[in-house]
Amino acid sequence: MLGNARQTRVFKNKWFVRFARQEGIEDAALCEAISRAEKGLIDTDLGGGVIKQRIARPNEGKSGGFRLIVLFRSREIAFFVYGFSKNERDNIRYDELRVFKTLADQIYDYDRAALANALKCGAIVEVKCGEEVSK
């Protein structure tokens, strides 16, 4: 386990990196979503360490924005693993949720060495959230 950290470490997987780039989602928006979650402002708690956070499209509002699936453990770690536009689909399917919960169980067992290896091979990318975002 990673232990208790003061600030949540935030990551995104390779699929999410491509999705965010295609949709123009900046890391600052991801940091803001995690900041809200840390304050208890979770849009939907899907159970098993999986949450859904909404973010706005660039220069628009949240209602027509994106839904992001995050593996989230408060004050420890957050992984952005999937995202979709509200106009593309309403929600994830039950079988998809089961996969995300299984992935969360695996990710939460990562120690620092496993995270370092995943970063080194490019399977995940760390999102740098500055103090101005986490207030």
Side-chain angles (χ1 to χ4, degrees):
M1 292 292 197
L2 293 173
N4 291 330
R6 245 189 205 133
Q7 184 174 354
T8 302
R9 288 187 74 186
V10 180
F11 301 92
K12 48 190 174 180
N13 65 10
K14 283 173 62 171
W15 183 93
F16 193 89
V17 167
R18 284 189 301 273
F19 168 77
R21 184 176 42 243
Q22 289 171 349
E23 299 296 346
I25 299 170
E26 305 230 350
D27 283 355
L30 304 180
C31 293
E32 178 58 31
I34 296 305
S35 177
R36 288 193 334 262
E38 288 293 354
K39 295 173 186 168
L41 302 173
I42 294 172
D43 292 317
T44 307
D45 186 341
L46 300 170
V50 181
I51 65 171
K52 180 169 60 174
Q53 289 293 83
R54 297 183 320 161
I55 65 166
R57 287 183 178 277
N59 304 315
E60 293 183 31
K62 281 190 207 174
S63 63
F66 300 104
R67 283 26 178 183
L68 309 179
I69 303 300
V70 187
L71 313 179
F72 177 72
R73 187 168 275 173
S74 183
R75 304 268 183 249
E76 289 184 36
I77 198 160
F79 277 86
F80 287 89
V81 294
Y82 186 68
F84 57 94
S85 172
K86 186 176 180 199
N87 64 9
E88 290 176 8
R89 64 189 297 184
D90 289 330
N91 212 339
I92 60 172
R93 297 184 318 266
Y94 179 74
D95 61 319
E96 292 171 315
L97 177 58
R98 279 196 329 250
V99 170
F100 291 134
K101 287 181 178 182
T102 299
L103 183 59
D105 287 340
Q106 294 169 356
I107 295 275
Y108 296 149
D109 283 340
Y110 277 21
D111 59 13
R112 293 186 191 283
L115 277 175
N117 287 337
L119 284 164
K120 185 177 180 182
C121 76
I124 60 174
V125 173
E126 189 159 9
V127 177
K128 298 296 182 184
C129 296
E131 287 300 313
E132 68 281 355
V133 177
S134 60
K135 287 182 186 174

